[in-house]
Amino acid sequence: MKLRPWPAAVTALALAATVTVAAPDTPAAATSIGLTASAADGPLPSEQDGPATTENLPAAGGYAAEIRRTEYGIPHISAKDHGGLGFGYGYAFAQDNLCVLASWVTTLRGERSMFFGPEAESDDPVRPVANLTSDIYFKSVADSGVVPRLLARPAPIGPTEDMRRLVAGYAAGYNAYLRDTGVANLPDPTCRGQAWVRPITATDVWHNLLDLNRLAGGSGLKEAVAGGGGAGPDGPAPGSNAWALGRQATRDGHGMLLADPHFPWNGIRRFYQVQLTIPGVLDVAGASLYGTPVVQIGHNASIAWTHTVSHAHRFSVYRLTLAGGRGGYLVDGKTEPMGRQEIEVRLKDGGIVTRALPTSRYGPVLAAGQSDEYAYALADVNAANLRSADTWLAMAKARNLKELRAAQDTYQGLPFVYTLATDIGGTTTFADASVVPHVTDAMARRCTVPSPDPSLEAYVLDGSTSACQWGKDGDAVLPGIFGPGSQPRLTRADYVANSNNTPWMTNPAAPMTGYDEVWGKVRTDVEPRPRVSLDMIDRRLSGTDGLGPRGFTLDTLSATVRSKRNYTFELLRKDVAALCRDHRVLKTAAGERVDVRAACRTLTAWDGRATLDGEGAILWREFYTGLGRPTKPGEPIWRWWRVPFDPDHPLTTPRGLKRDAPQVRQALAEAVKSFEDGGMPLTLTPGQAQRYGSHPIPGCTEAEGCFDRVRMRGRLSGGRYPDVDTGSTFMMAVELTPDGPRTRTILTYSLSANPSSPHHADQTALFSRGGWVTERFTEAEIKADPRLRVTTVRG
């Protein structure tokens, strides 16, 4: 089986359950539970930057928090306790992004078909599906009672009291802003006056956290779990870059960290920048995914950490041996009955869709591969995981790497990410401290059975014997998962780095091996983006990157990660030049002759950087990506590298272009002809072809080997791609010094999704120009901002 960080191929496992549309007993149009609170207080003043001001809102209850906003609207929230902190955070977030969370709560409640119709596309930014499919899936999660059962458990399986208060306060703060403003007066036209904008509950926040944890499992496989309809278009799989730099890699011996998560640019999986403070208890700055009241990527005064998406498995598929006419399935020779979950979804026209979902001891039963003998069930290791929230909260409170590691070991809740961290003493660490199903290599050899789908990138295990159920480590908080002692980890004084490669090449000086394959393969192709990442570090440490003496400073770190290098072009530049010398005219697949001389002049003159003015960057992308397309429908992807990957030389292979191969010449001809046919200049630049709204966006794609990558869901047409929808999101460069952290950040799509907000695109414009925001972390730094606005909220 292949191992990938995101299981996109499982979409073939779609349930084909029967849908029944029933008229309700009392026909009526679907209605909402409207907000009845008064809006007499009116909306908050505009968030436009201005002179420092202080505003006190009316007291209404036991919560209290202070929201201080500095340049770009960045909120610094402080309170005396966790409930107040959550209240202030929920209030501030609602000021900026209420419409996004209101829409997502409608999704979590399984009510999209009632408000938007069953066939419209859901608001899932990673993998949208039809609203009906989305509703059936989320109704099945809610009706299963998993969240109430977890909330009834003590920590670490259930949430801590601090986390419960934080979540309750967050929901209350959101609702307070909604009450104070009124649905009809919301500043965001996206949801102003809409019936689906309603108060939220703490349970909604918990369901959002649960769904985030399931992102690499059941939540990413809604058609497989819920059935009905065809698969929607694949969205961008989250990725990331991360460097933790130690005292041997930095000029002044301080610990430094780069965070560069690659998540969607729209919807609920965006990051929100924030600082959260409880004096003497917590002081953390960084970013949270929308609707989550904890910082997932950030720093305090003495440590900094970030995450990248892990290669480890998050689910297994169990083959069930059916019990024939007796019904059910066999385990250890005994018949177990199938479970049955009855789901009802109300439609916009008042009708009701009902669906029966079969279940098993392993999880939901799928339709794909079913026969008279077998069926298949999905076992998601994060199906009942709320522990991530407490993990992140405890990490934020840690004072050193030992305490950070203890936080992860105590709760064992990170859902699908690696952790890279550093401290003020210049030690770095890497760990896959995420939740991973306990499938050892020995168990995989013993229990793996034929897959119902050749593209399925997961272990398919024999469900007919309890000997093939997930195992358990003695130090694991739950059965079925690996404990901390089994996790791949590495501690160094120079650096650890990851760009969604497996742990193997975390640091080439110390290749990581010896872990079970469920965590990721060793001696496997590192791929272009991780290779350029490691090359960037190597050049900085040797001082050969043109940025001055060797070793990292905050300035050279900031410059290095925004260099826009296109690594595949660097690797193939000489071969392209030779191809151009040998051929002036090339033929397309249809035999048309194309003069490529002007294109060759463009490519050979390009400096290989995907800057806004990089003439040749878009032409290269169209040529390079064309190499990976089959020359004829149904043919396999052709391998164009002249020197294939060699695990003994993972950072220098593959390399070279088979420039004499007809497929290469044809790919260049096809790319040039597409520009000619589309009336596009061969010198088309990223600044002309890539946009996010009205802003030009630099950068290039994952396949090209670009570090801070961008991705557009669609092909080049008329000189433009569709808007950027994923890529670098919250970039953070931190230096931990004895005098306090020095930090630069950029939130690529800005703080607010509200198109009327002054902070809707202000950081986007800065990102386009290659700029950074200097973070204000200390009291003195915050108070010194001439744009400071202070609001006290109570509820």
Side-chain angles (χ1 to χ4, degrees):
M1 294 292 173
K2 295 180 181 178
L3 294 175
R4 283 180 54 185
W6 223 254
V10 191
T11 55
L13 297 176
L15 278 166
T18 301
V19 178
T20 303
V21 180
D25 295 334
T26 305
T31 58
S32 69
I33 303 172
L35 179 67
T36 58
S38 171
D41 293 328
L44 287 174
S46 168
E47 288 296 316
Q48 181 68 48
D49 288 337
T53 61
T54 299
E55 177 188 6
N56 287 286
L57 300 182
Y63 293 118
E66 185 177 72
I67 304 170
R68 296 182 291 178
R69 290 187 183 263
T70 54
E71 58 186 338
Y72 299 99
I74 297 169
H76 307 256
I77 301 161
S78 60
K80 65 180 181 180
D81 54 34
H82 290 83
L85 188 68
F87 185 85
Y89 193 0
Y91 201 105
F93 180 82
Q95 288 177 309
D96 294 316
N97 295 295
L98 183 141
C99 290
V100 178
L101 186 52
S103 176
W104 187 247
V105 167
T106 302
T107 300
L108 293 170
R109 293 175 178 176
E111 296 176 344
R112 295 201 68 81
S113 297
M114 184 169 70
F115 289 104
F116 305 105
E119 296 180 356
E121 189 173 83
S122 72
D123 59 346
D124 186 332
V126 176
R127 197 180 192 290
V129 296
N131 279 337
L132 179 58
T133 300
S134 175
D135 288 342
I136 291 169
Y137 171 79
F138 283 110
K139 285 277 190 179
S140 75
V141 175
D143 291 355
S144 73
V146 59
V147 167
R149 286 197 302 274
L150 290 170
L151 294 179
R153 299 285 301 275
I157 307 306
T160 62
E161 286 303 313
D162 286 347
M163 196 64 229
R164 292 171 194 266
R165 295 187 182 102
L166 194 64
V167 166
Y170 188 88
Y174 173 101
N175 292 337
Y177 172 76
L178 185 59
R179 178 193 65 240
D180 295 341
T181 308
V183 177
N185 300 316
L186 290 171
D188 189 343
T190 307
C191 68
R192 183 188 304 137
Q194 295 298 315
W196 45 269
V197 179
R198 297 157 293 169
I200 67 172
T201 66
T203 299
D204 293 323
V205 180
W206 289 118
H207 272 285
N208 182 41
L209 285 161
L210 178 66
D211 188 67
L212 169 63
N213 294 342
R214 290 182 169 195
L215 194 60
S219 185
L221 306 169
K222 293 183 181 69
E223 296 96 343
V225 174
D234 279 331
S240 299
N241 298 309
W243 296 350
L245 305 169
R247 55 187 174 273
Q248 294 177 359
T250 62
R251 192 84 57 77
D252 295 327
H254 302 149
M256 299 178 68
L257 182 119
L258 168 74
D260 180 22
H262 298 169
F263 261 55
W265 280 30
N266 300 288
I268 197 66
R269 300 305 173 210
R270 287 180 22 144
F271 282 99
Y272 185 77
Q273 186 171 0
V274 70
Q275 182 175 1
L276 301 175
T277 304
I278 301 174
V281 176
L282 172 71
D283 193 9
V284 61
S288 303
L289 289 166
Y290 277 22
T292 64
V294 289
V295 168
Q296 278 105 12
I297 290 174
H299 71 89
N300 56 34
S302 54
I303 64 166
W305 77 92
T306 186
H307 299 298
T308 61
V309 174
S310 160
H311 270 251
H313 282 240
R314 304 299 158 192
F315 62 90
S316 301
V317 174
Y318 275 93
R319 188 181 72 180
L320 308 180
T321 300
L322 300 179
R326 292 172 289 169
Y329 58 98
L330 300 175
V331 179
D332 297 334
K334 297 179 182 180
T335 301
E336 290 192 7
M338 292 280 191
R340 183 180 176 89
Q341 192 179 21
E342 300 286 346
I343 305 298
E344 288 190 356
V345 174
R346 187 172 292 275
L347 304 181
K348 194 173 183 179
D349 63 2
I352 295 175
V353 169
T354 63
R355 185 164 297 175
L357 303 182
T359 63
S360 71
R361 65 155 62 185
Y362 304 106
V365 177
L366 312 175
Q370 284 195 15
S371 66
D372 293 338
E373 296 180 272
Y374 301 117
Y376 295 84
L378 178 70
D380 183 351
V381 77
N382 284 303
N385 176 18
L386 289 182
R387 304 182 307 280
S388 63
D390 271 304
T391 308
W392 278 310
L393 181 60
M395 289 169 60
K397 296 176 179 179
R399 294 166 295 180
N400 50 54
L401 292 183
K402 181 180 179 180
E403 291 184 5
L404 182 140
R405 182 69 194 182
Q408 295 180 335
D409 291 353
T410 298
Y411 298 102
Q412 299 177 30
L414 294 180
F416 51 80
V417 290
Y418 300 130
T419 301
L420 294 88
T422 189
D423 62 13
I424 199 168
T427 300
T428 71
T429 187
F430 165 93
D432 191 342
S434 61
V435 187
V436 176
H438 196 288
V439 181
T440 64
D441 290 348
M443 177 181 170
R445 289 190 294 270
R446 174 170 47 85
C447 293
T448 299
V449 296
S451 171
D453 178 358
S455 69
L456 180 60
E457 297 173 351
Y459 286 123
V460 181
L461 304 175
D462 185 356
S464 69
T465 171
S466 57
C468 291
Q469 292 187 124
W470 293 339
K472 179 187 176 182
D473 281 343
D475 58 347
V477 296
L478 285 170
I481 66 174
F482 284 100
S486 299
Q487 296 166 353
R489 44 180 138 166
L490 180 66
T491 298
R492 302 278 300 180
D494 52 358
Y495 72 90
V496 291
N498 187 267
S499 292
N500 303 122
N501 45 306
T502 68
W504 178 46
M505 282 286 109
T506 296
N507 185 309
M512 297 176 66
T513 60
Y515 46 84
D516 288 292
E517 193 170 299
V518 70
W519 298 95
K521 292 184 177 180
V522 300
R523 294 177 63 79
T524 188
D525 192 341
V526 181
E527 299 186 347
R529 179 163 62 91
R531 281 178 64 183
V532 75
S533 171
L534 294 170
D535 186 70
M536 289 159 64
I537 295 173
D538 182 68
R539 292 191 184 193
R540 179 81 300 268
L541 295 184
S542 63
T544 59
D545 58 1
L547 295 176
R550 63 186 181 182
F552 281 94
T553 64
L554 192 57
D555 286 339
T556 58
L557 175 60
S558 303
T560 299
V561 301
R562 299 293 299 276
S563 61
K564 306 299 178 187
R565 289 173 57 187
N566 186 308
Y567 197 56
T568 55
F569 182 74
E570 292 179 13
L571 293 174
L572 302 176
R573 181 196 300 265
K574 292 181 179 178
D575 291 293
V576 171
L579 173 66
C580 287
R581 285 195 303 270
D582 294 342
H583 301 280
R584 296 183 175 185
V585 176
L586 297 173
K587 291 184 179 180
T588 66
E592 298 175 84
R593 292 170 58 85
V594 178
D595 189 329
V596 297
R597 286 177 292 179
C600 285
R601 287 193 294 271
T602 298
L603 290 174
T604 53
W606 180 42
D607 66 0
R609 296 182 185 267
T611 53
L612 290 178
D613 59 355
E615 296 185 354
I618 304 302
L619 176 60
W620 171 255
R621 180 181 308 166
E622 293 301 302
F623 167 46
Y624 180 77
T625 55
L627 290 172
R629 300 187 189 115
T631 54
K632 295 180 182 178
E635 288 186 352
I637 294 175
W638 178 71
R639 302 297 178 185
W640 63 90
W641 294 106
R642 187 173 68 251
V643 179
F645 173 71
D646 180 351
D648 291 328
H649 302 281
L651 301 184
T652 56
T653 61
R655 65 176 183 270
L657 182 67
K658 296 177 181 177
R659 63 176 186 265
D660 295 328
Q663 294 95 326
V664 173
R665 298 196 296 269
Q666 179 180 303
L668 181 55
E670 296 280 1
V672 175
K673 188 173 189 303
S674 71
F675 276 74
E676 294 175 349
D677 291 349
M680 299 178 291
L682 296 168
T683 55
L684 188 67
T685 67
Q688 296 165 330
Q690 298 173 174
R691 297 273 168 168
Y692 184 67
S694 62
H695 295 280
I697 301 297
C700 44
T701 64
E702 172 89 8
E704 296 170 88
C706 294
F707 186 72
D708 54 332
R709 62 159 178 150
V710 295
R711 175 169 162 172
M712 294 69 66
R713 197 181 303 190
R715 301 286 293 274
L716 180 67
S717 177
R720 284 280 301 276
Y721 293 103
D723 266 16
V724 172
D725 72 345
T726 190
S728 295
T729 53
F730 174 69
M731 300 184 74
M732 179 179 73
V734 185
E735 181 179 16
L736 298 170
T737 80
D739 298 322
R742 299 173 58 234
T743 309
R744 295 173 184 172
T745 66
I746 189 74
L747 190 61
T748 58
Y749 35 65
S750 304
L751 194 73
S752 176
N754 173 10
S756 66
S757 168
H759 306 304
H760 177 65
D762 50 355
Q763 289 198 58
T764 309
L766 184 64
F767 173 73
S768 176
R769 301 192 300 268
W772 294 85
V773 178
T774 300
E775 183 190 78
R776 296 179 182 272
F777 182 77
T778 66
E779 282 295 303
E781 291 167 343
I782 294 169
K783 290 178 178 178
D785 188 351
R787 293 160 293 272
L788 180 66
R789 295 186 67 249
V790 183
T791 303
T792 300
V793 292
R794 297 186 178 93

